[in-house]
């Protein structure tokens, strides 16, 4: 297993509630890395990106921040380490997966499994709130704000056939129509409950792998039931059980074509008793700790 290098993204500018911007530092100060090292994971905190000084609006902050994140993600991959991006609100995904695409583009397309309560596939025309953390998947497929769709290069970073969403239970009509039109596979919460998360994840991995040079995993902590994971930016009722998610992620440990993992939307101000921080640690241990 490659050494894991954490990249923090201390930005909540994509959300109406900016509390997730303090998520990476809160996890770091709570001893996340130390505890993962005790599980025999070769992991270190590389650096944390903060919004550039003087920028005071999401359209100014997020493209610049995502560009730096994309370049760093690609640099870590080319350097032989494994990037673990810890957000911040989920708008950071534009940077994470643009960087993974950049690192892979000479070899082939990028695949992605998106575990989330939400679709995050709005465009400015369909979004009720205009919040950029609800738009990253549309952006990565080439739809939305040009300063983001053109990040690194003016082209889609993800093709619809290489993307799937797992655990969706809260969404709006506009984003659902876009994903349906593009043919993106969505495993709604009802299907996950009926089939079991392990079976769904097996199919999701096959989708993300088919015809790609490597794939990534993006986990929004609000995918988990808020009773078990209250410390998130946009909680939604019901959801995955943390124990089921952790169990379903274990088979991905050591997968050679898994090239990047992203964990987003931890809001320390909404956490209770460190419940969500504990779930985050369990997720990362499932992916990276040796058996």
């Amino acid at each position: 297993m490659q050494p894991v290098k954490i990249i923090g993204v201390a930005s909540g500018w994509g959300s109406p509630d900016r509390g997730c911007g303090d998520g990476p530092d809160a996890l770091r100060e709570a001893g996340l890395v130390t505890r993962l090292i005790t599980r025999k994971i070769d992991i270190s905190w590389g650096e944390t990106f903060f919004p550039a000084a003087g920028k005071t609006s999401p359209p100014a902050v997020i493209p610049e921040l995502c560009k730096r994140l994309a370049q760093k993600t690609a640099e870590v991959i080319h350097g032989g380490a494994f990037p673990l991006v810890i957000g911040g609100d989920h708008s950071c995904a534009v940077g994470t997966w643009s960087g993974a695409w950049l690192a892979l583009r000479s070899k082939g397309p990028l695949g992605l499994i998106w575990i989330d309560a939400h679709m995050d596939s709005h465009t400015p025309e369909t979004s009720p709130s205009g919040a950029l953390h609800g738009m990253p998947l549309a952006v990565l497929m080439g739809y939305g704000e040009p300063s983001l769709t053109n990040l690194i290069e003016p082209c889609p970073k993800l093709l619809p056939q290489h993307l799937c969403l797992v655990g969706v239970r809260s969404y709006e009509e506009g984003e659902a129509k876009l994903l349906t039109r593009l043919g993106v596979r969505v495993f709604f919460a009802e299907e996950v409950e009926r089939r079991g998360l392990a079976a769904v994840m097996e199919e999701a991995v096959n989708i993300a792998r088919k015809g790609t040079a490597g794939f990534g995993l993006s986990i929004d902590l609000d995918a988990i039931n808020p009773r078990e994971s209250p410390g998130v930016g946009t909680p939604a009722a019901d959801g995955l059980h943390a124990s089921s998610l952790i169990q379903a992620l274990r088979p991905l440990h050591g997968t050679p074509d898994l090239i990047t993992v992203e964990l987003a939307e931890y809001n320390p101000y909404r956490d209770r008793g460190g419940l969500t921080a504990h779930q985050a640690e369990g997720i990362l241990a499932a992916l990276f700790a040796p058996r």
Side-chain angles (χ1 to χ4, degrees), residues 69-71 73-74 77-78 83 94-105 108-111 157 215-216 259-260:
L69 174 59
Q71 292 167 338
T73 302
I77 294 171
H78 287 312
V94 177
T96 301
W97 303 111
S98 293
W101 167 85
L102 178 62
L104 277 188
R105 64 177 174 173
L110 169 70
K157 312 310 185 294
F215 72 99
I259 64 161
T260 304

Side-chain angles (χ1 to χ4, degrees), residues 2-6 32-46 82 84 86 284 288:
Q2 304 156 282
V4 178
K5 186 74 70 175
I6 297 175
L32 175 66
V33 172
T34 300
R35 289 195 300 276
L36 291 174
I37 288 172
T38 66
R39 296 176 184 247
K40 304 190 184 307
I41 302 173
D42 182 0
I43 188 168
S44 61
W45 199 292
F82 189 102
L84 167 59
I86 297 183
L284 298 179
F288 298 116

Side-chain angles (χ1 to χ4, degrees), residues 18-134:
R18 294 188 193 164
C20 290
D22 291 330
D25 276 354
L27 290 172
R28 184 177 187 178
E29 290 168 7
L32 175 66
V33 172
T34 300
R35 289 195 300 276
L36 291 174
I37 288 172
T38 66
R39 296 176 184 247
K40 304 190 184 307
I41 302 173
D42 182 0
I43 188 168
S44 61
W45 199 292
E47 63 183 289
T48 299
F49 288 109
F50 293 85
K55 295 187 182 293
T56 57
S57 69
V61 169
I62 292 172
E64 189 275 339
L65 183 67
C66 284
K67 184 175 182 180
R68 284 187 282 142
L69 174 59
Q71 292 167 338
K72 186 64 179 181
T73 302
E75 177 187 314
V76 171
I77 294 171
H78 287 312
F82 189 102
L84 167 59
V85 175
I86 297 183
D89 72 67
H90 222 164
S91 65
C92 67
V94 177
T96 301
W97 303 111
S98 293
W101 167 85
L102 178 62
L104 277 188
R105 64 177 174 173
S106 64
K107 300 176 183 178
L110 169 70
L112 182 61
I113 301 170
W114 187 272
I115 301 177
D116 201 321
H118 307 93
M119 288 181 168
D120 289 358
S121 298
H122 274 297
T123 64
E125 293 73 31
T126 65
S127 172
S129 68
L132 288 171
H133 76 154

Side-chain angles (χ1 to χ4, degrees), residues 173-187:
E173 182 181 6
E175 56 184 342
K177 281 185 175 179
L178 177 64
L179 295 184
T180 299
R181 178 166 64 84
L182 296 175
V184 174
R185 180 68 162 100
V186 180
F187 298 93

